[in-house]
Each structure stands twice: as C-alpha cells, then as structure tokens.
Amino acid sequence: MNRIDLNCDLGESFGAYQLGMDEEVIPFVSSANVACGFHASDPVVMRKTVELAGKSGVCVGAHPGFPDLMGFGRRNMKVSPAEAKAYVQYQIGALSAFCRACGVKLVHVKAHGALYNMAGKDYDLAKAICEGIAEFDGSLILLALSGSEMIRAAKDTGIRAASEVFADRAYEEDGSLVARTKPNSMITDENEAIRRVVRMAKEGKVTAATGKDISIRADSVCVHGDNAHALEFVRKIRSALTAEGIEIAPLAQIVS
C-alpha cells in the first residue's frame, strides 16, 4: 500500500489574534508544522499547539521563518547563510523546549514562507538551513519542496529529507510554486485540488501552470488550515487518498 504524510501549518495565532482552525484540523493530519514565533505564534500558542498534537498522536515539526511578524514571513529578506542558520536553530530550540516539557518528540523541520521559497532555489541558503538542523539534531527530517535545492542540500548535509507537494498551489514548469503575487497561484476549486493530490500521490505527476505535466515526488502533502473551509478540505483530501488505497502515515514511517 502506498503511503503519504498529510501535514498542516499550525500554531500561527499570536496574542489576541486568532488564525486557523487548529483544534479541528489536527485530528485529520499526521504532521503539524508549528510556527516558532518569528513569522507568527507566541510561547503560549506554541505550547498549546504541541499539547494538541501530542494528544492526537500527530507528529510535531518546527516551522521556522524570517523574523517578519508584520509580513507573516512572506516577504523576501536578504540574509547571510550564517544568519539563516542562526534563525533556524533559534526557532527549533524554542519549539524543542515545549516539546520536551510536554513529553512530545520533535520529528521534523519545515521552513516557512519566503524562507522556504528562497531556499528552494538558493543552494547556499538551503545548505545553511540544513546545517543548522544537523547541528541541532541530525535525526530530524527536513520537509521541503519536491525537487528543490533544499532536498539536494539535505542529502549533501547527511540529514533525511521528505519531499512535499501542495494541494492548493499552482506549479511552475521547474517544479517551484507560482508566486502568490501572480494570477491563479492558488487552486481554488476544491475538487480540482483533490484530483491533483491523488495524481501526485499515485503517479508522481502534476500539471504546471503552462499546461505541461511535470514529475514530482510526494512523500507529504501540505494542506493549509487558515481558511473558512479548511476542515472540510482536509477531511475530503484524507478521504480521497484513503479511497485510492493510499495510507496516511507520519514522516518517520515514510522516510528511511
């Protein structure tokens, strides 16, 4: 039976600001990428999200981003590899403290937003992130865009990597995500998104924005939990994958 991880970016509320449907979504995913305070979240939210994931048996991963709370970590920043490594280690360390306090194992790391996209194309930035992870804990799994420089850097660094695909994002021919600033960057038709996910999981193919089919590796599929229809969307994706004989499993059971 084929296996795939179902991950979601969670714990992105902070202070008086509420974002997402964490409590409702967590039971339907196998991995939670928890914001670490730079692009979103705060200590109270971080601990609560780790506790929620632990109670549901969901694997926890750190979701480090640029120090850009105002821009939700989606604005490109010019940083040196040394700075990027330090940012990542700082955030992993913060989330790791809550994991340890709650008796929950930290399993993976997935960069957020602009840091994720920039490192997908910039090998030096990707290598710095991977080195930061390896120095902290070499057993952690990197979750990164399929076919990206992040995957290559992880192999060069000697850490395990899981290739991620997106349910609701359009792809360029080179396998990168269509920038959110461009038209039609998001897949808004729920049924189309589900069909794309099933095809990526079963065939390793997705249709790019140009109409060309490209190859893709799907170890994990990301579903976003920050819109009004998130819960229904996550349920339907899980149901569709299961109906196709694809088992939902955590990253540790997929990546050797």
Side-chain angles (χ1 to χ4, degrees):
M1 180 181 287
N2 293 328
R3 288 179 171 181
I4 196 167
D5 173 60
L6 195 57
N7 80 78
C8 190
D9 303 340
L10 298 169
E12 292 179 324
S13 299
F14 64 96
Y17 300 93
Q18 298 296 310
L19 182 66
M21 303 174 65
D22 293 7
E23 292 188 32
E24 293 83 2
V25 169
I26 279 180
F28 294 95
V29 299
S30 48
S31 294
N33 316 309
V34 183
C36 302
F38 270 31
H39 77 276
S41 199
D42 61 39
V44 174
V45 172
M46 290 167 69
R47 181 180 177 109
K48 180 181 178 181
T49 309
V50 168
E51 289 176 337
L52 284 171
K55 289 177 182 177
S56 295
V58 172
C59 290
V60 171
H63 195 34
F66 282 133
D68 179 25
L69 195 62
M70 291 290 289
F72 197 65
R74 287 179 176 164
R75 299 183 290 192
N76 289 2
M77 294 183 68
K78 185 175 178 59
V79 300
S80 69
E83 288 173 314
K85 181 193 287 190
Y87 292 164
V88 167
Q89 289 180 329
Y90 183 94
Q91 293 174 83
I92 296 174
L95 188 69
S96 178
F98 291 116
C99 287
R100 183 173 179 178
C102 297
V104 174
K105 180 178 175 59
L106 183 64
V107 175
H108 68 279
V109 178
K110 173 188 169 181
H112 167 79
L115 181 61
Y116 181 101
N117 292 325
M118 289 174 66
K121 295 184 177 182
D122 184 334
Y123 179 81
D124 290 337
L125 181 59
K127 187 74 178 299
I129 292 171
C130 291
E131 288 176 348
I133 295 169
E135 289 175 6
F136 182 86
D137 182 351
S139 71
L140 292 173
I141 300 169
L142 173 76
L143 181 56
L145 185 66
S146 174
S148 69
E149 291 297 291
M150 287 282 280
I151 300 295
R152 183 163 76 95
K155 292 178 181 178
D156 292 346
T157 309
I159 61 174
R160 293 177 295 167
S163 294
E164 180 180 38
V165 298
F166 287 80
D168 56 1
R169 294 295 303 276
Y171 282 83
E172 301 283 8
E173 282 190 13
D174 65 358
S176 64
L177 301 177
V178 174
R180 288 177 179 268
T181 54
K182 293 184 178 180
N184 304 315
S185 63
M186 304 296 294
I187 307 299
T188 56
D189 185 310
E190 189 176 90
N191 292 324
E192 180 186 356
I194 292 171
R195 286 194 297 269
R196 286 164 67 91
V197 167
V198 170
R199 187 176 182 222
M200 286 188 282
K202 295 186 70 173
E203 302 177 25
K205 298 282 186 182
V206 67
T207 303
T210 60
K212 179 181 178 180
D213 278 353
I214 60 173
S215 296
I216 204 161
R217 180 181 175 89
D219 294 320
S220 181
V221 56
C222 176
V223 292
H224 289 111
D226 57 356
N227 64 69
H229 304 290
L231 181 58
E232 184 179 3
F233 189 38
V234 172
R235 281 175 171 167
K236 286 183 178 180
I237 286 182
R238 186 180 183 108
S239 177
L241 289 169
T242 302
E244 292 289 336
I246 301 167
E247 179 186 357
I248 307 301
L251 287 177
Q253 294 182 20
I254 294 171
V255 180
S256 59

